[in-house]
Amino acid sequence: MVEFGVGILVLPATLLHDLLRGLPRVAAGQRTARFFLLAHALVAISVGFLILRKLGINTFTTTATVYSMNVAFVIEVVVLSYALGEKIKSIKDATIRAQGKLVKQLRKKHEVQEQLVEQLQHNQDLKDQLNSELESLVAQRTDELRQQSDTIAAQNRELLQANGLLALQSAAIEKLNTDLQRDLQEAKTARVLSKEVNFGEFSQIYPDKDACLVYLANLKWADGYQCRKCGHEKYCDGREPHSRRCTKCRYVESATAYTLLQKCKFSIIKAFYAVFLIYTHKGNYSSQELSRVLDLRQGTCWSFSQKVLEAMRRRRHAPDFDENEGWTHVLLDATGTETEDAVMGVGEEASSTRG
């Protein structure tokens, strides 16, 4: 009895739920949904009559109401069958429509393919026509190029002959240029020796520090290299520019070491020019004028002038002194440097003795 009562309560709830779900479809205009909703309404009414009978209310109890549920179920089965048929029919119609659309698409695709084939055929015809025209043009151009190449070959032969003449002329011009440069260098050197150059012209002969170091190194080791420590005569390049390192004791000697320019505090180019001015003027060149020309402090110029004058004095008393020798011999004066090194050596020896 309890289970029947629960079933009686669940069935109306299920019918009500189905009715509520069917209302939107009816509102959407679906014909099968209307029949479905009518069948469910009949079932709901027959269930209502059943509940009244179970509750003992026999007011509506008649033959029709007693068998109304069976009739309602039959009607619902019929309606469901009809709805199923309609659904199958709608699916079939949708399939037919989809197939029709697909056929139309395939037909359009086929038409496009035919047009593409026609276009490709037309392009191939144009390509063949263009190739034939290009072949004729290439043949014509080849004939023109052959004629031009023959002309160029004849011109090349003439140019080779002209190049031979130009090579001879270039060799002659190069020899003249070499002689001219040598004469120009000799003229510049002669002007330097004749005291007629300014610092700008002097800088053209010794343009930078590297050129001065090269000249000083060649002048210093003109008679060959010999290590001052061990007397070895073989060397290699040192780390400093134009310095030489003994391959035996590895003693390194720079280009300015043991020369007048050792420990020089200003530009070696200016030092070269200062020695040149003081020497060519026989020491009669004031430190004020030297300071103005070299753009250095007067004290620096005076100290360097004294150093150069001492070197000149020692050079005049040297056994191999020549009145006509150049100013560059003064650069190799190392007496003052050796004296300083000797004093430093004695000081170091005294310090070690005291230690």
Side-chain angles (χ1 to χ4, degrees):
M1 187 65 182
V2 175
E3 294 178 356
F4 180 76
V6 173
I8 290 299
L9 294 176
V10 171
L11 184 60
T14 304
L15 292 173
L16 181 61
H17 179 264
D18 293 339
L19 289 173
L20 294 176
R21 288 182 61 187
L23 288 176
R25 298 180 180 179
V26 174
Q30 294 184 6
R31 185 173 59 180
T32 56
R34 296 174 184 176
F35 293 108
F36 181 77
L37 188 63
L38 177 61
H40 273 67
L42 292 175
V43 172
I45 292 172
S46 63
V47 170
F49 289 148
L50 178 61
I51 292 172
L52 291 175
R53 286 199 306 273
K54 294 298 181 182
L55 294 176
I57 301 173
N58 298 321
T59 304
F60 300 99
T61 302
T62 62
T63 302
T65 57
V66 170
Y67 295 102
S68 63
M69 182 174 291
N70 297 332
V71 175
F73 280 129
V74 171
I75 294 173
E76 186 174 12
V77 170
V78 173
V79 170
L80 289 176
S81 300
Y82 176 74
L84 182 61
E86 289 293 327
K87 184 65 175 178
I88 293 172
K89 182 180 178 182
S90 63
I91 292 172
K92 183 178 179 181
D93 294 339
T95 303
I96 292 173
R97 287 193 298 271
Q99 290 177 351
K101 291 180 180 180
L102 182 61
V103 170
K104 290 180 180 179
Q105 292 177 356
L106 291 175
R107 187 178 293 110
K108 290 180 179 179
K109 184 178 180 181
H110 182 68
E111 292 175 355
V112 171
Q113 289 178 348
E114 290 180 350
Q115 293 176 358
L116 182 60
V117 170
E118 293 177 357
Q119 184 65 35
L120 291 175
Q121 184 64 36
H122 181 65
N123 292 340
Q124 185 65 33
D125 296 338
L126 291 176
K127 182 180 178 181
D128 295 338
Q129 182 180 357
L130 182 61
N131 287 335
S132 61
E133 293 177 357
L134 286 176
E135 288 176 357
S136 61
L137 290 175
V138 168
Q140 181 181 356
R141 186 59 178 169
T142 302
D143 294 336
E144 294 176 357
L145 290 176
R146 187 180 296 107
Q147 295 175 1
Q148 292 178 1
S149 63
D150 295 338
T151 305
I152 291 172
Q155 293 176 353
N156 284 336
R157 287 191 294 270
E158 296 177 358
L159 287 174
L160 288 175
Q161 297 175 358
N163 286 335
L165 296 176
L166 287 175
L168 296 175
Q169 293 177 358
S170 297
I173 292 172
E174 185 176 357
K175 186 177 183 301
L176 290 175
N177 286 333
T178 303
D179 295 340
L180 182 61
Q181 290 178 0
R182 184 178 63 253
D183 295 341
L184 183 61
Q185 185 66 26
E186 291 176 354
K188 288 182 178 179
T189 305
R191 291 193 65 196
V192 168
L193 295 177
S194 61
K195 304 182 292 185
E196 296 180 359
V197 297
N198 55 26
F199 183 63
E201 293 175 317
F202 187 85
S203 299
Q204 293 179 3
I205 302 174
Y206 305 104
D208 51 24
K209 179 180 178 181
D210 189 72
C212 295
L213 290 176
V214 169
Y215 181 81
L216 188 60
N218 293 333
L219 186 66
K220 179 179 178 180
W221 290 299
D223 297 330
Y225 171 82
Q226 187 175 10
C227 180
R228 294 180 181 270
K229 297 296 183 181
C230 66
H232 193 59
E233 296 181 353
K234 292 185 179 180
Y235 68 92
C236 60
D237 294 336
R239 291 186 178 179
E240 296 182 3
H242 308 289
S243 63
R244 298 186 179 184
R245 182 174 62 182
C246 177
T247 57
K248 183 177 180 181
C249 67
R250 307 184 71 81
Y251 171 72
V252 178
E253 183 176 343
S254 64
T256 58
Y258 302 99
T259 68
L260 188 66
L261 304 182
Q262 183 175 353
K263 300 180 181 179
C264 184
K265 302 299 183 182
F266 51 91
S267 169
I268 189 173
I269 305 174
K270 292 183 178 181
F272 264 48
Y273 192 50
V275 175
F276 161 74
L277 290 175
I278 296 170
Y279 187 88
T280 53
H281 288 82
K282 298 182 179 180
N284 298 320
Y285 204 87
S286 65
S287 60
Q288 294 88 347
E289 185 65 17
L290 193 63
S291 174
R292 183 188 65 80
V293 172
L294 299 181
D295 193 20
L296 296 172
R297 292 192 306 108
Q298 183 179 350
T300 302
C301 294
W302 184 85
S303 300
F304 191 74
S305 298
Q306 296 302 312
K307 189 176 180 180
V308 175
L309 291 174
E310 282 294 320
M312 291 171 58
R313 182 184 61 79
R314 288 190 291 268
R315 181 61 190 165
R316 281 195 298 268
H317 291 85
D320 58 343
F321 177 71
D322 183 4
E323 290 290 341
N324 297 321
E325 67 182 15
W327 61 275
T328 54
H329 287 78
V330 182
L331 296 174
L332 298 180
D333 180 77
T335 305
T337 304
E338 292 174 352
T339 303
E340 293 176 3
D341 293 343
V343 172
M344 292 177 63
V346 170
E348 292 175 359
E349 183 178 356
S351 299
S352 62
T353 302
R354 287 196 298 270

